[in-house]
Amino acid sequence: MKKGKVFLVGAGPGDVGLITVKGLEAIKQAEVILYDRLANPKLLENAPAECEFIYCGKLPDRHILRQDSINELLVAKALEGKRVVRLKGGDPGVFGRVGEEAASLAHNQISFEIIPGITSGIAAPLYAGIPVTHREYGESFAVITAHDKSKGGSPALDWEGLARGIDTIAFYMGVGNLPYICENLIANGKPSSTPVILIQWGTFGRQKTLQGTLADIAQKAAAAMFRNPSIILVGDVISLREKLSWFEKKPLYGRQILLARTSNGPSELAKELMDLGGDVIELPKWKKTLVHIDLEKVAVYDKILFAQPESAAEFFEALIDNQIDIRHIKAKFYGPSIKTIKALNDRGVTASLADEMPSSGSLLIVGDNSVLKNMENYELFDVMVTSQKEIDWQFMPIFNRMLGEAQIDTMIFPCSASIEPFLEALRKCDISIEEYVRNSLVVCMGKQTLAAARGAGLMDAQMPAKATKAALIEYLIENIGLEVRS
């Protein structure tokens, strides 16, 4: 069998938009992905549907897979002829042990590529408003591991060289060794008044910071129970933060949002929430399989109602595949939502909302296999199923880990159809919906969605004035201080 190839990819520091174009292309073509704890799991949604995911996450007190096992897996999967991606948080060459993995692949004569990523020691400070170099405050910069192979895990470094020769220092994953770091820098000549900042989950919407000096930061971190993953930045350049802070000024910064998802495509709402600083987890992940569509009688209907935006695209693609001219269809087109209307408009046809549809005339309803669940308002109709949609259960362990790292304070249901599968997914994961509801602002878009949510037991659910993205965002901003845990 022909050997496969391995791509050692830097995922960037957390914000999914910071992965490189080349890294994203590798994910899109992967057959196997071995991913770390600090690689944002949302990136896995770009992989092919049949891709195998293997979690290699590491915590200070335990390892899911040890490094030797990871090396062996990379070799084994490549020897199966697979296209393998090793997805690592930040940059694989900065404390990512990529040298060991590459050496193992080279030893076994397996082809590989290393794709750099943005390292957290630079990105996290920038998202906190701090450039790591500046002509007036810092012309030298060092990245340092705060754990090494020395006894006890305390780094054996040239402390004098760091204290006297480097303006700005970024220590990776060093909160546990913070007192040791501060003591050694002060003892070797760094002024105790030197500014220090801790940046946790840098570039995520859940990013947190804690400022102090070498003299007091360890005490502050202990009092605040500050934890990894964190960058410790030391240097006078931190004084620029007050002027240059930008990420933390976004209107939804700090919001940790659980968004109920109904489609397998990209969500414009999720993107907009993230662009405004929110930390968004979409649940559940869907997978869709197209089915054969019989278009023989499509021209006889007076009305065609498209149940979802995706069904419009699938319908028109089927027309093209079967060489049917849209002009042969006499029906007027309808959709239940503005999003579906837009999908039809994008195909060059006019459409109206389902509420405006006359009762007379023959009706065809087009949608995926869930189409009959929400059509109780229509008496006589035929159904055309364009695809089979189901929850992608292989993503549920991934969601479990994502939710375990987050502190959800907001839940959003964009439509009534999003509620039942969302609750089903949480139940399958043994996750208590009551806990999330108790600690979250529950927001529904529209009266039907609100009624469905309360019917499902979410009695504290609320809604914005209008069922639009703009109204939802305005509502979240107005309620930014409510039900949010510190």
Side-chain angles (χ1 to χ4, degrees):
M1 179 184 290
K2 183 180 178 182
K3 292 181 182 178
K5 185 172 182 178
V6 176
F7 295 81
L8 305 164
V9 179
D15 182 337
V16 291
L18 295 180
I19 191 169
T20 64
V21 173
K22 192 169 185 179
L24 188 59
E25 285 303 311
I27 293 172
K28 288 179 178 179
Q29 299 175 44
E31 295 174 282
V32 182
I33 298 179
L34 288 79
Y35 67 102
D36 281 349
R37 175 194 176 209
L38 298 181
N40 192 331
K42 191 171 179 61
L43 291 169
L44 301 178
E45 296 183 11
N46 295 284
E50 65 278 5
C51 184
E52 178 185 4
F53 301 134
I54 301 173
Y55 183 54
C56 306
K58 299 175 183 178
L59 290 167
D61 58 342
R62 64 186 183 274
H63 290 67
I64 303 299
L65 285 177
R66 293 198 171 273
Q67 190 62 52
D68 289 346
S69 299
I70 294 171
N71 296 348
E72 291 168 5
L73 260 175
L74 290 173
V75 171
K77 293 297 180 180
L79 289 175
E80 292 175 9
K82 300 289 182 63
R83 189 178 179 93
V84 183
V85 166
R86 174 73 170 106
L87 192 61
K88 308 166 81 70
D91 181 276
V94 181
F95 310 128
R97 304 185 74 169
V98 74
E100 298 169 48
E101 294 171 356
S104 179
L105 295 169
H107 176 75
N108 288 276
Q109 299 181 319
I110 291 170
S111 178
F112 65 89
E113 288 187 25
I114 301 175
I115 300 177
I118 298 174
T119 187
S120 57
I122 295 173
L126 283 173
Y127 269 56
I130 306 164
V132 294
T133 64
H134 189 281
R135 286 190 300 173
E136 295 180 15
Y137 295 94
E139 294 186 342
S140 57
F141 169 62
V143 293
I144 307 293
T145 178
H147 290 85
D148 63 13
K149 293 183 177 180
S150 60
K151 189 174 181 179
S154 298
L157 303 169
D158 177 6
W159 290 106
E160 184 176 1
L162 283 174
R164 297 183 183 276
I166 304 297
D167 296 320
T168 309
I169 311 168
F171 291 92
Y172 284 55
M173 305 293 282
V175 173
N177 281 329
L178 186 56
Y180 177 82
I181 291 168
C182 295
E183 289 166 9
N184 277 276
L185 288 174
I186 292 171
N188 285 275
K190 204 79 167 170
S192 61
S193 60
T194 302
V196 182
I197 188 169
L198 309 186
I199 309 165
Q200 183 188 58
W201 290 112
T203 78
F204 281 89
R206 72 192 75 158
Q207 175 178 299
K208 290 183 180 180
T209 57
L210 182 67
Q211 284 186 250
T213 65
L214 285 176
D216 62 16
I217 192 64
Q219 184 178 355
K220 286 185 175 182
M225 293 187 291
F226 218 82
R227 298 286 183 265
N228 285 321
S230 295
I231 289 293
I232 302 168
L233 196 71
V234 180
D236 292 333
V237 74
I238 293 168
S239 62
L240 292 171
R241 169 174 158 78
E242 187 174 344
K243 291 181 179 179
L244 304 184
S245 178
W246 61 275
F247 182 61
E248 294 168 18
K249 292 179 180 178
K250 289 194 170 191
L252 294 182
Y253 167 74
R255 275 280 183 191
Q256 296 189 52
I257 300 167
L258 191 53
L259 175 62
R261 177 157 53 180
T262 57
S263 72
N264 64 330
S267 166
E268 292 181 8
L269 175 58
K271 183 181 184 305
E272 194 156 343
L273 293 171
M274 288 188 287
D275 286 345
L276 292 170
D279 197 354
V280 182
I281 297 175
E282 298 176 78
L283 180 77
K285 171 75 166 58
W286 296 91
K287 60 181 179 180
K288 180 175 284 194
T289 305
L290 296 179
V291 299
H292 173 71
I293 301 174
D294 184 1
L295 296 168
E296 184 177 348
K297 298 180 180 179
V298 71
V300 305
Y301 294 96
D302 300 307
K303 304 171 292 185
I304 299 179
L305 171 63
F306 294 88
Q308 307 97 9
E310 295 84 3
S311 61
E314 292 159 3
F315 177 83
F316 278 87
E317 287 167 12
L319 289 181
I320 294 170
D321 290 343
N322 288 273
Q323 297 184 328
I324 296 176
D325 194 322
I326 185 65
R327 291 171 292 186
H328 293 163
I329 299 176
K330 66 176 184 178
K332 292 185 176 181
F333 290 173
Y334 298 89
S337 66
I338 296 297
K339 189 175 180 181
T340 306
I341 299 298
K342 183 179 183 303
L344 290 164
N345 293 161
D346 289 345
R347 292 282 172 171
V349 297
T350 58
S352 303
L353 285 169
D355 293 344
E356 303 170 9
M357 188 170 63
S359 57
S360 60
S362 55
L363 171 63
L364 174 68
I365 298 179
V366 178
D368 61 36
N369 55 308
S370 68
V371 69
L372 293 177
K373 292 183 179 180
N374 301 293
M375 296 301 160
E376 62 275 2
N377 295 329
Y378 309 103
E379 294 182 1
L380 297 174
F381 57 87
D382 292 329
V383 172
M384 176 184 290
V385 175
T386 56
S387 59
Q388 295 288 332
K389 187 178 78 170
E390 59 182 327
I391 294 175
D392 191 344
W393 292 110
Q394 78 158 334
F395 268 83
M396 296 319 297
I398 297 171
F399 286 125
N400 257 329
R401 286 191 287 273
M402 293 172 74
L403 292 171
E405 302 279 18
Q407 287 188 307
I408 300 299
D409 56 50
T410 306
M411 297 169 59
I412 298 175
F413 295 98
C415 62
S416 58
S418 68
I419 296 170
E420 182 183 335
F422 175 87
L423 296 177
E424 179 189 3
L426 289 184
R427 284 193 294 267
K428 287 283 182 71
C429 289
D430 293 324
I431 293 173
S432 169
I433 183 64
E434 291 79 12
E435 179 183 349
Y436 281 114
V437 170
R438 185 168 57 249
N439 294 296
S440 298
L441 179 68
V442 181
V443 186
C444 299
M445 294 183 69
K447 293 180 180 178
Q448 285 187 333
T449 309
L450 181 64
R454 290 179 174 172
L458 306 178
M459 303 309 297
D460 293 329
Q462 304 173 41
M463 60 175 279
K466 296 180 180 179
T468 63
K469 284 192 299 181
L472 171 66
I473 290 166
E474 182 179 353
Y475 185 84
L476 292 178
I477 293 171
E478 288 176 352
N479 291 279
I480 196 71
L482 299 181
E483 305 293 334
V484 179
R485 291 173 289 177
S486 58

